[in-house]
Amino acid sequence: MNVTFIVVPGFTNSGPQHWQTCIENKYVNTRRVQQDDWQKPDRERWSRRVGETVATTPGDVVLVAHSCGAVATAQWLAVNAHERVKAAVLVAPADVDAPCALDAIQPQRPLPGTRLPLPTLLICSDNDEHLTLPRAQQLAAWWGSELKVIAGGGHLHSAAGFGDWPAGEQLIAAFSGARFIPRAVSTTLYS
């Protein structure tokens, strides 16, 4: 299946060493959701931007979201079924509802508590400071997501050592049934 992988970054965006940026730099069939303000996640604006990006991307898509981007994606999916969205991979969704959630991400509250309308894979770790394993298990149950736990992965971002992440790419491709198309010439998309 040929698709576009829509990358949905979280709070502060995904920097040049983040696995999402590495995926964009390696593969031609990717596109990044852009937010107006990466420092201020907002429930309505951020989820709407996911939908706008899907609507303006031709063909089938797979959503590949991280942290607050995974939250925005789940929130959009909870109220929107789009036949061209074939799957969503939700990596380390931030628990914006937790009492200890960062003040900056609390405007994304609340997390959806309903089944999502398409196949989803929730990837988490057993030591994420923004999502406990029991909470990840609860979200996976609510959303109807397959759950993959990465031992000792932290928040599964570049600061936790998740830059170029071939194992993550394999999980995404295997779950979605789609393939990444390598760039013929190496270029850098991050600016």
Side-chain angles (χ1 to χ4, degrees):
M1 171 173 45
N2 289 327
V3 305
T4 299
F5 292 89
I6 296 180
V7 172
V8 190
F11 179 52
T12 73
N13 201 352
S14 295
Q17 304 305 316
H18 195 281
W19 61 267
Q20 287 182 311
T21 304
C22 292
I23 285 174
E24 287 180 285
N25 287 335
K26 288 168 59 176
Y27 303 109
V28 68
N29 59 329
T30 61
R31 184 169 180 206
R32 181 180 289 231
V33 170
Q34 295 295 330
Q35 299 294 350
D36 293 328
D37 189 343
W38 290 106
Q39 307 303 316
K40 294 181 181 175
D42 176 89
R43 181 181 172 86
E44 180 67 27
R45 288 192 305 259
W46 276 41
S47 71
R48 183 175 57 240
R49 190 55 59 90
V50 172
E52 290 169 358
T53 305
V54 168
T56 59
T57 301
D60 292 337
V61 301
V62 171
L63 299 170
V64 180
H66 179 254
S67 192
C68 288
V71 171
T73 299
Q75 289 168 335
W76 182 75
L77 289 171
V79 294
N80 294 281
H82 202 294
E83 65 185 32
R84 291 188 302 107
V85 181
K86 299 305 180 186
V89 179
L90 307 169
V91 180
D95 187 357
V96 297
D97 294 332
C100 62
L102 299 173
D103 290 343
I105 68 173
Q106 291 179 19
Q108 276 192 294
R109 289 178 172 167
L111 289 165
T114 58
R115 186 172 188 84
L116 300 179
L118 50 78
T120 56
L121 171 63
L122 193 156
I123 302 175
C124 68
S125 80
D126 57 1
N127 67 337
D128 186 340
E129 63 272 24
H130 302 292
L131 178 69
T132 66
L133 183 54
R135 181 65 162 161
Q137 293 166 331
Q138 180 182 45
L139 294 177
W142 283 352
W143 299 344
S145 302
E146 184 178 315
L147 182 65
K148 172 68 176 169
V149 180
I150 308 292
H155 194 49
L156 301 170
H157 58 354
S158 53
F162 289 83
D164 190 28
W165 188 25
E169 294 168 25
Q170 291 170 359
L171 286 170
I172 294 163
F175 179 76
S176 67
R179 67 181 186 92
F180 290 103
I181 301 171
R183 292 188 180 280
V185 178
S186 179
T187 60
T188 300
L189 296 177
Y190 187 82
S191 55

